[in-house]
Amino acid sequence: MNGTLVLVLATVLFLAIVVSAVVVVVRNRRAHRADAGFESEAGWYLDPADETLQRYWDGSAWTEYVEPATPETEMPR
């Protein structure tokens, strides 16, 4: 019985680690995809991570500056 409990706990821990790793990979791919080939001019655009916000694109990278999105805010092209 005690060996079975250890096996179950080890399996649960392993699965938790695998799921966490998959989540990290998916989030990194989404962030990379959002920036890949992005060559719009500097300006305020919908935040790729949260479309209720707009984030400032400096022409080469997203900045830390955010504010609530407005109806006329667009995704960059």
Side-chain angles (χ1 to χ4, degrees):
M1 176 86 167
N2 204 9
T4 304
L5 180 61
V6 170
L7 182 59
V8 168
L9 290 176
T11 302
V12 168
L13 178 61
F14 174 75
L15 290 174
I17 291 169
V18 169
V19 168
S20 297
V22 168
V23 167
V24 168
V25 168
V26 168
R27 285 185 179 169
N28 285 341
R29 283 187 179 177
R30 284 182 182 167
H32 179 71
R33 217 175 320 157
D35 288 342
F38 191 72
E39 297 179 7
S40 245
E41 63 183 54
W44 289 95
Y45 298 99
L46 288 177
D47 188 330
D50 182 352
E51 292 188 2
T52 65
L53 298 173
Q54 55 184 357
R55 182 174 296 271
Y56 193 77
W57 174 258
D58 68 7
S60 62
W62 292 109
T63 67
E64 69 275 10
Y65 304 109
V66 295
E67 56 184 48
T70 60
E72 58 272 352
T73 305
E74 297 180 13
M75 279 302 289
R77 297 173 211 173

